[in-house]
């Protein structure tokens, strides 16, 4: 697949274009790394107790790495390369046809630009196919300093969110194959696009340039990611309530930070490519999870992870009562 997109170029460009992180002394960097490693271990235990998802023991295994922003970019380039290498020959041919006018190095440069924008913004990420959890120390420190949060409290709060993703995939390993199928559908959408919700508004250039088949795939991706992110956002508050004294203040400050529209180049590019829609995934997904949990408890909400047919649609995310009407008989039977 390197003949289609040069991922080595993407990684080099992404690293070169990264915004610099906060200036930290060597002792400050060492303290941040130690703090995050300790928080990641504690977070796994707290999430297991709060989420009630099955396979909690499996979720305690896997690699956790504290990295810099360049590490995030390189990891994303590797992950994307691996995802595309899993395509069939026919699917690879379709993707190559879509990109043939640009060439591998040009598309690699474009991918690098996108990765630089993402790599400078995200605090951490869970890689479902490698079971690795990456924590970006400079980005976490930058946000913590911006909102004036306690270093220990903020580190644990962030780790609670990321460890929740590890628990989700341990409880629902089928989601890995589902994600692979969505990738395949995106590159062979002219005759194999899954039927589902249309893509939501706010996806920038991605949404504007998408055809009907790709929009259907984007809708399914959005539904899955909204459940994953919203659930994790809910759990980081639920599991952290008793152990993070400053949690209410952190939550209020982070929510306010998300609402403020920034006009720096990175923020403009994120909006242009549709990445600001990720904020909607947190908000809509969390609201869905909280309302369902209120109605049927955690075990009832966890029913959403039992199979692809039990995932909420984009419409159901906005109308939890519709998901409950469809799934509640099974929830109550369980």
């Amino acid at each position: 697949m390197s003949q289609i997109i040069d991922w080595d170029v993407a990684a080099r460009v992404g690293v070169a274009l990264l915004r610099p992180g906060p200036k930290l002394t060597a002792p400050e960097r060492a303290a941040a790394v130690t703090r995050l490693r300790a928080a990641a271990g504690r977070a796994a235990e707290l999430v297991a107790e709060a989420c009630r998802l099955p396979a909690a023991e499996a979720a305690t295994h896997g690699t956790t790495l504290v990295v810099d922003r360049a590490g995030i970019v390189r990891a994303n380039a590797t992950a994307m390369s691996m995802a595309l290498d899993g395509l069939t020959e026919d699917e690879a041919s379709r993707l190559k046809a879509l990109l043939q006018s640009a060439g591998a190095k040009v598309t690699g440069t474009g991918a690098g630009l996108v990765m630089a924008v993402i790599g400078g913004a995200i605090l951490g990420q869970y890689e479902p196919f490698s079971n690795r959890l990456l924590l970006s120390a400079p980005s976490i420190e930058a946000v913590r300093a911006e909102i004036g949060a306690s270093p220990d409290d903020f580190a644990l709060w962030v780790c609670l969110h990321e460890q929740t993703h590890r628990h989700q995939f341990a409880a629902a390993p089928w989601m890995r194959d589902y994600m692979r199928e969505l990738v395949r559908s995106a590159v062979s959408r002219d005759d194999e696009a899954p039927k589902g919700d249309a893509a939501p508004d706010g996806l920038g250039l991605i949404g504007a340039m998408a055809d009907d088949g790709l929009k259907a795939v984007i809708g399914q991706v959005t539904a899955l990611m909204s459940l994953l992110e919203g659930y994790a956002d809910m759990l980081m508050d639920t599991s952290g309530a008793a152990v993070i004294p400053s949690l209410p203040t952190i939550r209020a400050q982070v929510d306010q930070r998300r609402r403020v529209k920034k006009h720096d180049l990175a923020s403009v590019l994120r909006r242009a490519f549709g990445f600001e829609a990720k904020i909607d995934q947190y908000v809509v997904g969390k609201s869905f999870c909280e309302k369902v949990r209120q109605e049927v408890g955690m075990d009832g909400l966890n029913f959403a992870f039992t199979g692809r047919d039990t995932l909420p649609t984009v419409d159901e995310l906005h109308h939890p009562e519709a998901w409950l009407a469809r799934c509640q008989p099974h929830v109550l039977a369980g």
Side-chain angles (χ1 to χ4, degrees):
M1 292 303 296
S2 61
Q3 295 178 346
I4 301 176
I5 299 177
D6 192 323
W7 292 107
D8 290 335
V9 169
R12 290 198 299 271
V13 171
V15 170
L17 295 178
L18 274 173
R19 292 178 297 157
K23 294 181 179 180
L24 301 175
T25 65
E28 288 173 334
R29 288 195 297 271
V33 171
T34 299
R35 186 162 53 241
L36 287 169
R37 285 175 176 164
R42 190 180 184 198
E45 299 174 358
L46 292 169
V47 170
E49 182 178 353
C51 72
R52 299 170 57 90
L53 286 166
E57 174 62 25
T60 63
H61 304 298
T63 302
T64 298
L65 300 176
V66 180
V67 300
D68 57 13
R69 289 175 172 176
I72 292 288
V73 168
R74 295 188 183 103
N76 279 323
T78 299
M80 288 302 300
S81 177
M82 291 174 60
L84 292 179
D85 278 341
L87 298 178
T88 65
E89 183 177 346
D90 181 60
E91 289 162 347
S93 297
R94 291 176 187 273
L95 180 58
K96 188 173 182 179
L98 290 172
L99 301 175
Q100 63 183 354
S101 61
K105 293 192 182 300
V106 174
T107 53
T109 301
L113 172 61
V114 174
M115 289 181 181
V117 172
I118 301 172
I122 64 174
L123 306 186
Q125 66 183 39
Y126 172 67
E127 299 179 333
F129 300 114
S130 65
N131 195 25
R132 295 195 314 173
L133 192 156
L134 306 181
L135 300 167
S136 177
S139 295
I140 291 171
E141 278 299 297
V143 175
R144 183 207 63 76
E146 180 183 332
I147 66 176
S150 158
D152 289 334
D153 285 2
F154 191 68
L156 180 56
W157 192 67
V158 170
C159 288
L160 288 170
H161 182 105
E162 301 305 333
Q163 287 287 22
T164 298
H165 290 320
R166 178 170 274 163
H167 279 75
Q168 290 166 335
F169 279 89
W174 59 267
M175 288 194 298
R176 293 183 175 90
D177 288 335
Y178 181 55
M179 293 177 74
R180 288 190 182 98
E181 288 181 22
L182 290 176
V183 171
R184 292 189 177 101
S185 295
V187 300
S188 58
R189 59 190 178 272
D190 56 339
D191 57 3
E192 298 178 17
K195 299 206 181 346
D197 294 316
D201 294 333
L203 289 173
L205 292 175
I206 294 175
M209 296 174 64
D211 57 33
D212 289 342
L214 182 55
K215 285 179 180 178
V217 177
I218 292 173
Q220 290 193 316
V221 171
T222 299
L224 175 61
M225 296 309 297
S226 295
L227 175 66
L228 296 177
E229 297 294 356
Y231 187 101
D233 230 31
M234 178 189 72
L235 251 292
M236 68 196 299
D237 290 348
T238 301
S239 56
V243 295
I244 302 178
S246 62
L247 191 151
T249 301
I250 292 175
R251 167 56 70 189
Q253 290 171 326
V254 168
D255 286 348
Q256 174 61 27
R257 184 176 180 271
R258 288 173 176 173
R259 287 191 292 266
V260 175
K261 192 171 185 178
K262 298 182 179 180
H263 300 284
D264 58 279
L265 179 58
S267 297
V268 170
L269 287 173
R270 282 198 296 273
R271 286 195 293 274
F273 284 106
F275 294 120
E276 290 297 298
K278 188 174 178 68
I279 302 303
D280 293 334
Q281 292 173 7
Y282 288 120
V283 174
V284 174
K286 184 181 180 184
S287 177
F288 169 87
C289 290
E290 289 176 338
K291 289 177 181 177
V292 170
R293 183 185 62 177
Q294 184 178 5
E295 290 291 325
V296 294
M298 280 301 300
D299 291 338
L301 172 60
N302 288 343
F303 182 74
F305 293 100
T306 57
R308 63 183 67 186
D309 292 338
T310 63
L311 290 172
T313 65
V314 171
D315 184 65
E316 288 172 341
L317 284 165
H318 291 275
H319 302 283
E321 67 279 3
W323 182 85
L324 284 167
R326 178 167 66 88
C327 296
Q328 194 165 24
H330 304 287
V331 171
L332 294 176

